[in-house]
Amino acid sequence: SQQGEEDPQALSIQEGENATMNCSYKTSINNLQWYRQNSGRGLVHLILIRSNEREKHSGRLRVTLDTSKKSSSLLITASRAADTASYFCATDSPSGSARQLTFGSGTQLTVLP
Amino acid sequence: NAGVMQNPRHLVRRRGQEARLRCSPMKGHSHVYWYRQLPEEGLKFMVYLQKENIIDESGMPKERFSAEFPKEGPSILRIQQVVRGDSAAYFCASSPMEGGTEAFFGQGTRLTVV
């Protein structure tokens, strides 16, 4: 799989349920970020977790990072129909001369009312 | 403080024409990144610029694509002699510094080559 690969590719849940999305990556990272993209729109930054952090919360979002397994998870609690979107993880590698984000192909989340 | 502004939002070009995409970073941000998103895929890095300098263009196709970020004015992504395969959404992001901070994205320019 490529750097920043999300799993599952698509997820459909009922409103009020929790949604969990996973991301795996290959190389060492500075930090990992999660973004949301509504259909046909730009990306909205959700949360950044640094490589020395294990868990971070923001409202209904909870992100974990396991650098030993090179994986991260995004949990959205008490989902709402408005959470329907594509979710991408992006990694920021310490290697190389410039900062660039490497994105996975995303998880399409559908929250049914 | 306005966010990252991209224009146009939608651009239609015939094969062989030139496409110019503009990006104004957030106020105070001197780092600009361009990404391309093909349908049903994630974003792919193209180029990273600071004012008047191209820092990393490892994701840019070798031909027909160029980018600049002049001292004054927006960053420009230029695609010459467009082909159907250039049809995609092009996103610009900016950040105040390199590394360790979130990048803020614009709404994107959707290029359609007919």
Side-chain angles (χ1 to χ4, degrees), chain A residues 2 30-31 33 35 37 39-43 45 48 50 88 92 97-106, chain B residues 9 33 35 37 40-45 48 55-56 58 91 95 98-103 105-107 110:
Chain A
Q2 57 183 322
N30 278 327
N31 58 60
Q33 305 180 50
Y35 287 85
Q37 184 180 35
S39 180
R41 304 294 296 275
L43 276 76
H45 183 266
L48 179 152
R50 301 189 189 284
F88 295 91
D92 178 356
S97 61
R99 177 180 182 273
Q100 57 172 276
L101 296 176
T102 303
F103 286 82
S105 52
Chain B
R9 291 290 307 277
Y33 314 81
Y35 291 81
Q37 184 180 33
E40 308 300 324
E41 293 187 13
L43 279 71
K44 297 290 191 293
F45 169 79
Y48 162 43
I55 307 302
D56 181 354
S58 58
F91 289 95
S95 66
E98 178 178 353
T101 63
E102 58 263 37
F105 282 79
Q107 292 292 306
R110 275 149 188 85

Side-chain angles (χ1 to χ4, degrees), chain B residues 26-46:
Chain B
M26 287 182 70
K27 188 177 181 181
H29 288 192
S30 58
H31 301 251
V32 167
Y33 314 81
W34 285 93
Y35 291 81
R36 177 166 64 179
Q37 184 180 33
L38 295 172
E40 308 300 324
E41 293 187 13
L43 279 71
K44 297 290 191 293
F45 169 79
M46 298 182 74

